[in-house]
PDB file of all heavy atoms in Angstrom:
ATOM      1  N   TYR A  97     -44.109  -6.388 -32.626  1.00 97.00           N
ATOM      2  CA  TYR A  97     -43.395  -7.015 -31.542  1.00 97.00           C
ATOM      3  C   TYR A  97     -42.455  -6.055 -30.880  1.00 97.00           C
ATOM      4  O   TYR A  97     -41.634  -6.415 -30.085  1.00 97.00           O
ATOM      5  CB  TYR A  97     -42.630  -8.266 -32.052  1.00 97.00           C
ATOM      6  CG  TYR A  97     -42.431  -9.360 -31.002  1.00 97.00           C
ATOM      7  CD1 TYR A  97     -43.500  -9.851 -30.343  1.00 97.00           C
ATOM      8  CD2 TYR A  97     -41.158  -9.814 -30.684  1.00 97.00           C
ATOM      9  CE1 TYR A  97     -43.274 -10.916 -29.456  1.00 97.00           C
ATOM     10  CE2 TYR A  97     -40.959 -10.816 -29.749  1.00 97.00           C
ATOM     11  CZ  TYR A  97     -42.054 -11.347 -29.128  1.00 97.00           C
ATOM     12  OH  TYR A  97     -41.890 -12.338 -28.162  1.00 97.00           O
ATOM     13  N   GLN A 125     -41.099  -0.887 -20.583  1.00 96.00           N
ATOM     14  CA  GLN A 125     -41.332  -1.969 -19.539  1.00 96.00           C
ATOM     15  C   GLN A 125     -42.693  -2.654 -19.790  1.00 96.00           C
ATOM     16  O   GLN A 125     -42.812  -3.926 -19.755  1.00 96.00           O
ATOM     17  CB  GLN A 125     -41.399  -1.265 -18.065  1.00 96.00           C
ATOM     18  CG  GLN A 125     -41.381  -2.250 -17.069  1.00 96.00           C
ATOM     19  CD  GLN A 125     -41.620  -1.552 -15.678  1.00 96.00           C
ATOM     20  OE1 GLN A 125     -41.819  -0.372 -15.658  1.00 96.00           O
ATOM     21  NE2 GLN A 125     -41.615  -2.270 -14.620  1.00 96.00           N
ATOM     22  N   GLN A 126     -43.706  -1.863 -20.086  1.00 97.00           N
ATOM     23  CA  GLN A 126     -44.996  -2.447 -20.433  1.00 97.00           C
ATOM     24  C   GLN A 126     -44.988  -3.208 -21.674  1.00 97.00           C
ATOM     25  O   GLN A 126     -45.617  -4.257 -21.813  1.00 97.00           O
ATOM     26  CB  GLN A 126     -46.076  -1.347 -20.520  1.00 97.00           C
ATOM     27  CG  GLN A 126     -46.579  -0.783 -19.186  1.00 97.00           C
ATOM     28  CD  GLN A 126     -47.028  -1.902 -18.311  1.00 97.00           C
ATOM     29  OE1 GLN A 126     -47.874  -2.728 -18.593  1.00 97.00           O
ATOM     30  NE2 GLN A 126     -46.521  -1.941 -16.988  1.00 97.00           N
ATOM     31  N   GLN A 127     -44.234  -2.687 -22.651  1.00 98.00           N
ATOM     32  CA  GLN A 127     -44.075  -3.443 -23.896  1.00 98.00           C
ATOM     33  C   GLN A 127     -43.369  -4.726 -23.678  1.00 98.00           C
ATOM     34  O   GLN A 127     -43.725  -5.773 -24.337  1.00 98.00           O
ATOM     35  CB  GLN A 127     -43.331  -2.615 -25.016  1.00 98.00           C
ATOM     36  CG  GLN A 127     -44.149  -1.360 -25.426  1.00 98.00           C
ATOM     37  CD  GLN A 127     -43.410  -0.587 -26.448  1.00 98.00           C
ATOM     38  OE1 GLN A 127     -42.240  -0.651 -26.677  1.00 98.00           O
ATOM     39  NE2 GLN A 127     -44.255   0.358 -27.055  1.00 98.00           N
ATOM     40  N   ARG A 128     -42.431  -4.828 -22.799  1.00 96.00           N
ATOM     41  CA  ARG A 128     -41.800  -6.072 -22.469  1.00 96.00           C
ATOM     42  C   ARG A 128     -42.737  -7.068 -21.858  1.00 96.00           C
ATOM     43  O   ARG A 128     -42.745  -8.271 -22.206  1.00 96.00           O
ATOM     44  CB  ARG A 128     -40.594  -5.787 -21.494  1.00 96.00           C
ATOM     45  CG  ARG A 128     -39.364  -6.174 -22.148  1.00 96.00           C
ATOM     46  CD  ARG A 128     -38.099  -6.259 -21.184  1.00 96.00           C
ATOM     47  NE  ARG A 128     -38.166  -5.378 -20.082  1.00 96.00           N
ATOM     48  CZ  ARG A 128     -37.681  -4.117 -20.011  1.00 96.00           C
ATOM     49  NH1 ARG A 128     -37.274  -3.589 -21.102  1.00 96.00           N
ATOM     50  NH2 ARG A 128     -37.850  -3.461 -18.894  1.00 96.00           N
ATOM     51  N   TYR A 129     -43.603  -6.538 -20.938  1.00 96.00           N
ATOM     52  CA  TYR A 129     -44.644  -7.386 -20.321  1.00 96.00           C
ATOM     53  C   TYR A 129     -45.572  -8.041 -21.374  1.00 96.00           C
ATOM     54  O   TYR A 129     -45.864  -9.160 -21.349  1.00 96.00           O
ATOM     55  CB  TYR A 129     -45.469  -6.547 -19.339  1.00 96.00           C
ATOM     56  CG  TYR A 129     -46.670  -7.202 -18.859  1.00 96.00           C
ATOM     57  CD1 TYR A 129     -46.634  -8.095 -17.803  1.00 96.00           C
ATOM     58  CD2 TYR A 129     -47.929  -7.074 -19.537  1.00 96.00           C
ATOM     59  CE1 TYR A 129     -47.767  -8.757 -17.435  1.00 96.00           C
ATOM     60  CE2 TYR A 129     -49.085  -7.724 -19.169  1.00 96.00           C
ATOM     61  CZ  TYR A 129     -48.980  -8.595 -18.124  1.00 96.00           C
ATOM     62  OH  TYR A 129     -50.136  -9.295 -17.649  1.00 96.00           O
ATOM     63  N   ILE A 130     -45.923  -7.124 -22.332  1.00 97.00           N
ATOM     64  CA  ILE A 130     -46.876  -7.584 -23.402  1.00 97.00           C
ATOM     65  C   ILE A 130     -46.150  -8.747 -24.287  1.00 97.00           C
ATOM     66  O   ILE A 130     -46.730  -9.802 -24.526  1.00 97.00           O
ATOM     67  CB  ILE A 130     -47.275  -6.427 -24.320  1.00 97.00           C
ATOM     68  CG1 ILE A 130     -48.123  -5.432 -23.572  1.00 97.00           C
ATOM     69  CG2 ILE A 130     -47.948  -6.863 -25.554  1.00 97.00           C
ATOM     70  CD1 ILE A 130     -48.213  -4.077 -24.158  1.00 97.00           C
ATOM     71  N   ARG A 131     -44.892  -8.521 -24.624  1.00 95.00           N
ATOM     72  CA  ARG A 131     -44.130  -9.536 -25.325  1.00 95.00           C
ATOM     73  C   ARG A 131     -44.036 -10.836 -24.529  1.00 95.00           C
ATOM     74  O   ARG A 131     -44.142 -11.966 -25.124  1.00 95.00           O
ATOM     75  CB  ARG A 131     -42.756  -9.028 -25.585  1.00 95.00           C
ATOM     76  CG  ARG A 131     -42.515  -8.096 -26.750  1.00 95.00           C
ATOM     77  CD  ARG A 131     -41.170  -7.458 -26.732  1.00 95.00           C
ATOM     78  NE  ARG A 131     -40.055  -8.436 -26.906  1.00 95.00           N
ATOM     79  CZ  ARG A 131     -39.208  -8.352 -27.874  1.00 95.00           C
ATOM     80  NH1 ARG A 131     -39.262  -7.288 -28.732  1.00 95.00           N
ATOM     81  NH2 ARG A 131     -38.242  -9.161 -28.056  1.00 95.00           N
ATOM     82  N   ASN A 132     -43.781 -10.723 -23.255  1.00 94.00           N
ATOM     83  CA  ASN A 132     -43.545 -11.910 -22.497  1.00 94.00           C
ATOM     84  C   ASN A 132     -44.836 -12.644 -22.130  1.00 94.00           C
ATOM     85  O   ASN A 132     -44.798 -13.774 -21.756  1.00 94.00           O
ATOM     86  CB  ASN A 132     -42.800 -11.529 -21.179  1.00 94.00           C
ATOM     87  CG  ASN A 132     -41.398 -11.168 -21.461  1.00 94.00           C
ATOM     88  OD1 ASN A 132     -40.827 -11.642 -22.423  1.00 94.00           O
ATOM     89  ND2 ASN A 132     -40.830 -10.288 -20.662  1.00 94.00           N
ATOM     90  N   ASN A 133     -45.975 -11.953 -22.079  1.00 94.00           N
ATOM     91  CA  ASN A 133     -47.181 -12.590 -21.609  1.00 94.00           C
ATOM     92  C   ASN A 133     -48.314 -12.707 -22.651  1.00 94.00           C
ATOM     93  O   ASN A 133     -49.140 -13.570 -22.473  1.00 94.00           O
ATOM     94  CB  ASN A 133     -47.678 -11.806 -20.422  1.00 94.00           C
ATOM     95  CG  ASN A 133     -46.762 -11.900 -19.244  1.00 94.00           C
ATOM     96  OD1 ASN A 133     -46.737 -12.974 -18.533  1.00 94.00           O
ATOM     97  ND2 ASN A 133     -45.853 -10.827 -19.067  1.00 94.00           N
ATOM     98  N   ILE A 134     -48.378 -11.925 -23.623  1.00 96.00           N
ATOM     99  CA  ILE A 134     -49.570 -11.834 -24.416  1.00 96.00           C
ATOM    100  C   ILE A 134     -49.219 -12.209 -25.925  1.00 96.00           C
ATOM    101  O   ILE A 134     -50.087 -12.476 -26.671  1.00 96.00           O
ATOM    102  CB  ILE A 134     -50.328 -10.467 -24.402  1.00 96.00           C
ATOM    103  CG1 ILE A 134     -50.456 -10.018 -22.920  1.00 96.00           C
ATOM    104  CG2 ILE A 134     -51.646 -10.569 -25.022  1.00 96.00           C
ATOM    105  CD1 ILE A 134     -51.188  -8.734 -22.747  1.00 96.00           C
ATOM    106  N   MET A 135     -47.931 -12.145 -26.269  1.00 96.00           N
ATOM    107  CA  MET A 135     -47.617 -12.464 -27.647  1.00 96.00           C
ATOM    108  C   MET A 135     -46.397 -13.440 -27.674  1.00 96.00           C
ATOM    109  O   MET A 135     -45.584 -13.505 -26.775  1.00 96.00           O
ATOM    110  CB  MET A 135     -47.063 -11.176 -28.365  1.00 96.00           C
ATOM    111  CG  MET A 135     -48.107 -10.199 -28.683  1.00 96.00           C
ATOM    112  SD  MET A 135     -47.163  -8.946 -29.637  1.00 96.00           S
ATOM    113  CE  MET A 135     -48.297  -7.579 -29.482  1.00 96.00           C
ATOM    114  N   GLY A 136     -46.373 -14.179 -28.736  1.00 95.00           N
ATOM    115  CA  GLY A 136     -45.170 -14.959 -29.012  1.00 95.00           C
ATOM    116  C   GLY A 136     -44.751 -14.692 -30.507  1.00 95.00           C
ATOM    117  O   GLY A 136     -45.588 -14.308 -31.339  1.00 95.00           O
ATOM    118  N   GLY A 154     -34.020 -25.071 -21.864  1.00 96.00           N
ATOM    119  CA  GLY A 154     -33.570 -23.843 -21.272  1.00 96.00           C
ATOM    120  C   GLY A 154     -34.075 -22.583 -21.981  1.00 96.00           C
ATOM    121  O   GLY A 154     -34.371 -21.607 -21.363  1.00 96.00           O
ATOM    122  N   ASN A 155     -34.227 -22.701 -23.230  1.00 96.00           N
ATOM    123  CA  ASN A 155     -34.786 -21.666 -24.008  1.00 96.00           C
ATOM    124  C   ASN A 155     -36.221 -21.333 -23.680  1.00 96.00           C
ATOM    125  O   ASN A 155     -36.676 -20.214 -23.585  1.00 96.00           O
ATOM    126  CB  ASN A 155     -34.755 -22.000 -25.582  1.00 96.00           C
ATOM    127  CG  ASN A 155     -33.530 -21.427 -26.260  1.00 96.00           C
ATOM    128  OD1 ASN A 155     -33.483 -20.216 -26.552  1.00 96.00           O
ATOM    129  ND2 ASN A 155     -32.496 -22.284 -26.481  1.00 96.00           N
ATOM    130  N   ILE A 156     -36.985 -22.418 -23.429  1.00 96.00           N
ATOM    131  CA  ILE A 156     -38.404 -22.239 -23.018  1.00 96.00           C
ATOM    132  C   ILE A 156     -38.399 -21.687 -21.589  1.00 96.00           C
ATOM    133  O   ILE A 156     -39.209 -20.817 -21.315  1.00 96.00           O
ATOM    134  CB  ILE A 156     -39.119 -23.642 -23.109  1.00 96.00           C
ATOM    135  CG1 ILE A 156     -39.209 -24.024 -24.572  1.00 96.00           C
ATOM    136  CG2 ILE A 156     -40.411 -23.597 -22.435  1.00 96.00           C
ATOM    137  CD1 ILE A 156     -39.718 -25.421 -24.772  1.00 96.00           C
ATOM    138  N   ALA A 157     -37.528 -22.210 -20.674  1.00 95.00           N
ATOM    139  CA  ALA A 157     -37.486 -21.719 -19.365  1.00 95.00           C
ATOM    140  C   ALA A 157     -37.213 -20.180 -19.313  1.00 95.00           C
ATOM    141  O   ALA A 157     -37.746 -19.474 -18.566  1.00 95.00           O
ATOM    142  CB  ALA A 157     -36.427 -22.425 -18.553  1.00 95.00           C
ATOM    143  N   GLU A 158     -36.269 -19.766 -20.259  1.00 94.00           N
ATOM    144  CA  GLU A 158     -35.936 -18.322 -20.348  1.00 94.00           C
ATOM    145  C   GLU A 158     -37.122 -17.484 -20.549  1.00 94.00           C
ATOM    146  O   GLU A 158     -37.327 -16.396 -19.925  1.00 94.00           O
ATOM    147  CB  GLU A 158     -34.959 -18.106 -21.487  1.00 94.00           C
ATOM    148  CG  GLU A 158     -34.328 -16.728 -21.530  1.00 94.00           C
ATOM    149  CD  GLU A 158     -33.895 -16.333 -22.895  1.00 94.00           C
ATOM    150  OE1 GLU A 158     -34.256 -17.007 -23.808  1.00 94.00           O
ATOM    151  OE2 GLU A 158     -33.253 -15.307 -22.973  1.00 94.00           O
ATOM    152  N   LYS A 159     -38.063 -17.885 -21.445  1.00 94.00           N
ATOM    153  CA  LYS A 159     -39.245 -17.122 -21.678  1.00 94.00           C
ATOM    154  C   LYS A 159     -40.161 -17.155 -20.504  1.00 94.00           C
ATOM    155  O   LYS A 159     -40.826 -16.134 -20.179  1.00 94.00           O
ATOM    156  CB  LYS A 159     -39.904 -17.747 -22.997  1.00 94.00           C
ATOM    157  CG  LYS A 159     -41.220 -17.162 -23.388  1.00 94.00           C
ATOM    158  CD  LYS A 159     -41.124 -16.234 -24.581  1.00 94.00           C
ATOM    159  CE  LYS A 159     -42.521 -15.722 -24.940  1.00 94.00           C
ATOM    160  NZ  LYS A 159     -42.564 -14.574 -25.740  1.00 94.00           N
ATOM    161  N   LEU A 160     -40.261 -18.319 -19.847  1.00 95.00           N
ATOM    162  CA  LEU A 160     -41.137 -18.456 -18.727  1.00 95.00           C
ATOM    163  C   LEU A 160     -40.586 -17.567 -17.515  1.00 95.00           C
ATOM    164  O   LEU A 160     -41.400 -16.907 -16.894  1.00 95.00           O
ATOM    165  CB  LEU A 160     -41.278 -19.950 -18.281  1.00 95.00           C
ATOM    166  CG  LEU A 160     -41.957 -20.747 -19.202  1.00 95.00           C
ATOM    167  CD1 LEU A 160     -41.838 -22.288 -18.889  1.00 95.00           C
ATOM    168  CD2 LEU A 160     -43.507 -20.481 -19.261  1.00 95.00           C
ATOM    169  N   ILE A 161     -39.334 -17.506 -17.359  1.00 94.00           N
ATOM    170  CA  ILE A 161     -38.755 -16.727 -16.235  1.00 94.00           C
ATOM    171  C   ILE A 161     -39.017 -15.295 -16.541  1.00 94.00           C
ATOM    172  O   ILE A 161     -39.372 -14.574 -15.671  1.00 94.00           O
ATOM    173  CB  ILE A 161     -37.216 -17.068 -16.141  1.00 94.00           C
ATOM    174  CG1 ILE A 161     -37.012 -18.390 -15.558  1.00 94.00           C
ATOM    175  CG2 ILE A 161     -36.558 -15.992 -15.243  1.00 94.00           C
ATOM    176  CD1 ILE A 161     -35.567 -18.905 -15.712  1.00 94.00           C
ATOM    177  N   ALA A 162     -38.880 -14.846 -17.796  1.00 92.00           N
ATOM    178  CA  ALA A 162     -39.120 -13.464 -18.210  1.00 92.00           C
ATOM    179  C   ALA A 162     -40.561 -13.100 -17.890  1.00 92.00           C
ATOM    180  O   ALA A 162     -40.842 -11.878 -17.612  1.00 92.00           O
ATOM    181  CB  ALA A 162     -38.762 -13.304 -19.681  1.00 92.00           C
ATOM    182  N   ALA A 163     -41.445 -14.073 -17.889  1.00 89.00           N
ATOM    183  CA  ALA A 163     -42.858 -13.735 -17.587  1.00 89.00           C
ATOM    184  C   ALA A 163     -43.169 -13.883 -16.113  1.00 89.00           C
ATOM    185  O   ALA A 163     -44.300 -13.872 -15.631  1.00 89.00           O
ATOM    186  CB  ALA A 163     -43.744 -14.677 -18.383  1.00 89.00           C
ATOM    187  N   GLY A 164     -42.104 -14.182 -15.259  1.00 90.00           N
ATOM    188  CA  GLY A 164     -42.262 -14.137 -13.807  1.00 90.00           C
ATOM    189  C   GLY A 164     -42.436 -15.524 -13.201  1.00 90.00           C
ATOM    190  O   GLY A 164     -42.637 -15.687 -12.002  1.00 90.00           O
ATOM    191  N   HIS A 165     -42.281 -16.650 -14.003  1.00 89.00           N
ATOM    192  CA  HIS A 165     -42.352 -17.938 -13.378  1.00 89.00           C
ATOM    193  C   HIS A 165     -41.080 -18.315 -12.638  1.00 89.00           C
ATOM    194  O   HIS A 165     -40.006 -17.809 -13.016  1.00 89.00           O
ATOM    195  CB  HIS A 165     -42.536 -19.038 -14.489  1.00 89.00           C
ATOM    196  CG  HIS A 165     -43.856 -18.954 -15.176  1.00 89.00           C
ATOM    197  ND1 HIS A 165     -44.883 -19.791 -14.986  1.00 89.00           N
ATOM    198  CD2 HIS A 165     -44.273 -18.045 -16.099  1.00 89.00           C
ATOM    199  CE1 HIS A 165     -45.884 -19.397 -15.708  1.00 89.00           C
ATOM    200  NE2 HIS A 165     -45.548 -18.392 -16.406  1.00 89.00           N
ATOM    201  N   GLN A 166     -41.235 -19.044 -11.515  1.00 88.00           N
ATOM    202  CA  GLN A 166     -40.084 -19.311 -10.712  1.00 88.00           C
ATOM    203  C   GLN A 166     -39.854 -20.887 -10.399  1.00 88.00           C
ATOM    204  O   GLN A 166     -38.767 -21.253 -10.100  1.00 88.00           O
ATOM    205  CB  GLN A 166     -40.147 -18.575  -9.392  1.00 88.00           C
ATOM    206  CG  GLN A 166     -39.944 -17.098  -9.568  1.00 88.00           C
ATOM    207  CD  GLN A 166     -40.089 -16.261  -8.290  1.00 88.00           C
ATOM    208  OE1 GLN A 166     -40.695 -16.746  -7.374  1.00 88.00           O
ATOM    209  NE2 GLN A 166     -39.589 -15.089  -8.368  1.00 88.00           N
ATOM    210  N   HIS A 167     -40.993 -21.564 -10.521  1.00 92.00           N
ATOM    211  CA  HIS A 167     -40.998 -23.054 -10.067  1.00 92.00           C
ATOM    212  C   HIS A 167     -40.255 -23.859 -11.092  1.00 92.00           C
ATOM    213  O   HIS A 167     -40.721 -24.016 -12.212  1.00 92.00           O
ATOM    214  CB  HIS A 167     -42.387 -23.346  -9.909  1.00 92.00           C
ATOM    215  CG  HIS A 167     -42.466 -24.655  -9.115  1.00 92.00           C
ATOM    216  ND1 HIS A 167     -42.131 -25.892  -9.591  1.00 92.00           N
ATOM    217  CD2 HIS A 167     -43.019 -24.924  -7.935  1.00 92.00           C
ATOM    218  CE1 HIS A 167     -42.235 -26.854  -8.763  1.00 92.00           C
ATOM    219  NE2 HIS A 167     -42.877 -26.283  -7.683  1.00 92.00           N
ATOM    220  N   LEU A 170     -42.224 -26.945 -12.467  1.00 91.00           N
ATOM    221  CA  LEU A 170     -43.208 -26.554 -13.359  1.00 91.00           C
ATOM    222  C   LEU A 170     -42.705 -26.171 -14.775  1.00 91.00           C
ATOM    223  O   LEU A 170     -43.190 -26.574 -15.822  1.00 91.00           O
ATOM    224  CB  LEU A 170     -44.088 -25.453 -12.853  1.00 91.00           C
ATOM    225  CG  LEU A 170     -45.010 -25.870 -11.741  1.00 91.00           C
ATOM    226  CD1 LEU A 170     -45.813 -24.641 -11.272  1.00 91.00           C
ATOM    227  CD2 LEU A 170     -45.941 -26.984 -12.148  1.00 91.00           C
ATOM    228  N   MET A 171     -41.613 -25.428 -14.694  1.00 92.00           N
ATOM    229  CA  MET A 171     -40.991 -24.948 -15.990  1.00 92.00           C
ATOM    230  C   MET A 171     -40.476 -26.229 -16.807  1.00 92.00           C
ATOM    231  O   MET A 171     -40.664 -26.269 -18.054  1.00 92.00           O
ATOM    232  CB  MET A 171     -39.857 -23.993 -15.774  1.00 92.00           C
ATOM    233  CG  MET A 171     -40.394 -22.652 -15.342  1.00 92.00           C
ATOM    234  SD  MET A 171     -39.106 -21.338 -15.378  1.00 92.00           S
ATOM    235  CE  MET A 171     -38.396 -21.533 -13.782  1.00 92.00           C
ATOM    236  N   ARG A 174     -43.484 -27.999 -18.196  1.00 93.00           N
ATOM    237  CA  ARG A 174     -44.046 -27.311 -19.405  1.00 93.00           C
ATOM    238  C   ARG A 174     -43.176 -27.371 -20.547  1.00 93.00           C
ATOM    239  O   ARG A 174     -43.622 -27.633 -21.696  1.00 93.00           O
ATOM    240  CB  ARG A 174     -44.240 -25.832 -18.935  1.00 93.00           C
ATOM    241  CG  ARG A 174     -44.793 -24.893 -20.021  1.00 93.00           C
ATOM    242  CD  ARG A 174     -46.298 -24.982 -20.198  1.00 93.00           C
ATOM    243  NE  ARG A 174     -46.748 -24.111 -21.261  1.00 93.00           N
ATOM    244  CZ  ARG A 174     -47.627 -24.477 -22.213  1.00 93.00           C
ATOM    245  NH1 ARG A 174     -48.197 -25.694 -22.109  1.00 93.00           N
ATOM    246  NH2 ARG A 174     -48.028 -23.672 -23.098  1.00 93.00           N
ATOM    247  N   LEU A 178     -44.161 -29.070 -24.155  1.00 94.00           N
ATOM    248  CA  LEU A 178     -44.116 -28.293 -25.421  1.00 94.00           C
ATOM    249  C   LEU A 178     -43.178 -28.888 -26.518  1.00 94.00           C
ATOM    250  O   LEU A 178     -43.478 -29.062 -27.683  1.00 94.00           O
ATOM    251  CB  LEU A 178     -43.706 -26.860 -25.163  1.00 94.00           C
ATOM    252  CG  LEU A 178     -44.785 -25.962 -24.568  1.00 94.00           C
ATOM    253  CD1 LEU A 178     -44.202 -24.726 -23.939  1.00 94.00           C
ATOM    254  CD2 LEU A 178     -45.776 -25.614 -25.707  1.00 94.00           C
ATOM    255  N   ALA A 207     -42.221 -23.794 -29.953  1.00 95.00           N
ATOM    256  CA  ALA A 207     -42.426 -24.254 -28.607  1.00 95.00           C
ATOM    257  C   ALA A 207     -42.223 -23.094 -27.591  1.00 95.00           C
ATOM    258  O   ALA A 207     -43.014 -22.816 -26.701  1.00 95.00           O
ATOM    259  CB  ALA A 207     -41.588 -25.417 -28.208  1.00 95.00           C
ATOM    260  N   LYS A 208     -41.075 -22.346 -27.873  1.00 95.00           N
ATOM    261  CA  LYS A 208     -40.765 -21.274 -26.969  1.00 95.00           C
ATOM    262  C   LYS A 208     -41.844 -20.180 -27.099  1.00 95.00           C
ATOM    263  O   LYS A 208     -42.251 -19.620 -25.983  1.00 95.00           O
ATOM    264  CB  LYS A 208     -39.387 -20.630 -27.408  1.00 95.00           C
ATOM    265  CG  LYS A 208     -38.906 -19.562 -26.482  1.00 95.00           C
ATOM    266  CD  LYS A 208     -37.450 -19.156 -26.915  1.00 95.00           C
ATOM    267  CE  LYS A 208     -36.970 -18.071 -26.038  1.00 95.00           C
ATOM    268  NZ  LYS A 208     -35.560 -17.705 -26.279  1.00 95.00           N
ATOM    269  N   ALA A 209     -42.229 -19.910 -28.335  1.00 95.00           N
ATOM    270  CA  ALA A 209     -43.200 -18.755 -28.448  1.00 95.00           C
ATOM    271  C   ALA A 209     -44.553 -19.187 -27.801  1.00 95.00           C
ATOM    272  O   ALA A 209     -45.277 -18.246 -27.424  1.00 95.00           O
ATOM    273  CB  ALA A 209     -43.425 -18.555 -29.963  1.00 95.00           C
ATOM    274  N   LEU A 210     -44.805 -20.399 -27.687  1.00 94.00           N
ATOM    275  CA  LEU A 210     -46.185 -20.780 -27.120  1.00 94.00           C
ATOM    276  C   LEU A 210     -46.112 -21.020 -25.662  1.00 94.00           C
ATOM    277  O   LEU A 210     -47.123 -21.297 -25.012  1.00 94.00           O
ATOM    278  CB  LEU A 210     -46.591 -22.171 -27.766  1.00 94.00           C
ATOM    279  CG  LEU A 210     -47.024 -22.149 -29.274  1.00 94.00           C
ATOM    280  CD1 LEU A 210     -47.213 -23.578 -29.695  1.00 94.00           C
ATOM    281  CD2 LEU A 210     -48.246 -21.321 -29.472  1.00 94.00           C
ATOM    282  N   SER A 211     -44.862 -20.905 -25.075  1.00 93.00           N
ATOM    283  CA  SER A 211     -44.776 -21.283 -23.648  1.00 93.00           C
ATOM    284  C   SER A 211     -45.624 -20.627 -22.722  1.00 93.00           C
ATOM    285  O   SER A 211     -46.109 -21.131 -21.730  1.00 93.00           O
ATOM    286  CB  SER A 211     -43.280 -21.142 -23.212  1.00 93.00           C
ATOM    287  OG  SER A 211     -42.856 -19.848 -23.410  1.00 93.00           O
ATOM    288  N   ASN A 212     -45.896 -19.319 -22.935  1.00 91.00           N
ATOM    289  CA  ASN A 212     -46.829 -18.586 -22.003  1.00 91.00           C
ATOM    290  C   ASN A 212     -48.277 -18.628 -22.449  1.00 91.00           C
ATOM    291  O   ASN A 212     -49.058 -17.692 -21.961  1.00 91.00           O
ATOM    292  CB  ASN A 212     -46.313 -17.168 -21.805  1.00 91.00           C
ATOM    293  CG  ASN A 212     -44.972 -17.154 -21.137  1.00 91.00           C
ATOM    294  OD1 ASN A 212     -44.820 -17.933 -20.183  1.00 91.00           O
ATOM    295  ND2 ASN A 212     -44.090 -16.286 -21.556  1.00 91.00           N
ATOM    296  N   ARG A 213     -48.599 -19.526 -23.221  1.00 92.00           N
ATOM    297  CA  ARG A 213     -49.971 -19.610 -23.749  1.00 92.00           C
ATOM    298  C   ARG A 213     -50.528 -18.225 -24.242  1.00 92.00           C
ATOM    299  O   ARG A 213     -51.541 -17.792 -23.794  1.00 92.00           O
ATOM    300  CB  ARG A 213     -50.922 -20.069 -22.649  1.00 92.00           C
ATOM    301  CG  ARG A 213     -50.572 -21.459 -22.169  1.00 92.00           C
ATOM    302  CD  ARG A 213     -51.554 -21.977 -21.155  1.00 92.00           C
ATOM    303  NE  ARG A 213     -51.338 -23.429 -20.869  1.00 92.00           N
ATOM    304  CZ  ARG A 213     -50.439 -23.865 -19.928  1.00 92.00           C
ATOM    305  NH1 ARG A 213     -49.702 -23.013 -19.278  1.00 92.00           N
ATOM    306  NH2 ARG A 213     -50.248 -25.137 -19.704  1.00 92.00           N
ATOM    307  N   PRO A 214     -49.786 -17.620 -25.171  1.00 94.00           N
ATOM    308  CA  PRO A 214     -50.189 -16.244 -25.602  1.00 94.00           C
ATOM    309  C   PRO A 214     -51.450 -16.437 -26.451  1.00 94.00           C
ATOM    310  O   PRO A 214     -51.602 -17.402 -27.200  1.00 94.00           O
ATOM    311  CB  PRO A 214     -48.983 -15.746 -26.467  1.00 94.00           C
ATOM    312  CG  PRO A 214     -48.371 -17.048 -26.958  1.00 94.00           C
ATOM    313  CD  PRO A 214     -48.610 -18.045 -25.905  1.00 94.00           C
ATOM    314  N   PRO A 215     -52.348 -15.445 -26.389  1.00 95.00           N
ATOM    315  CA  PRO A 215     -53.498 -15.473 -27.347  1.00 95.00           C
ATOM    316  C   PRO A 215     -53.172 -15.160 -28.715  1.00 95.00           C
ATOM    317  O   PRO A 215     -53.989 -15.460 -29.693  1.00 95.00           O
ATOM    318  CB  PRO A 215     -54.460 -14.392 -26.744  1.00 95.00           C
ATOM    319  CG  PRO A 215     -53.604 -13.532 -25.921  1.00 95.00           C
ATOM    320  CD  PRO A 215     -52.405 -14.365 -25.494  1.00 95.00           C
TER     321      PRO A 215
END
Side-chain angles (χ1 to χ4, degrees):
Y97 206 57
Q125 189 189 0
Q126 283 306 310
Q127 291 181 345
R128 244 192 330 272
Y129 168 84
I130 294 162
R131 278 166 68 121
N132 289 332
N133 294 278
I134 313 179
M135 287 187 200
N155 266 281
I156 293 173
E158 188 207 10
K159 175 108 179 161
L160 290 169
I161 289 166
H165 293 256
Q166 289 176 341
H167 194 292
L170 285 182
M171 285 193 275
R174 176 80 181 137
L178 281 163
K208 181 174 183 176
L210 291 173
S211 59
N212 291 321
R213 301 184 170 84

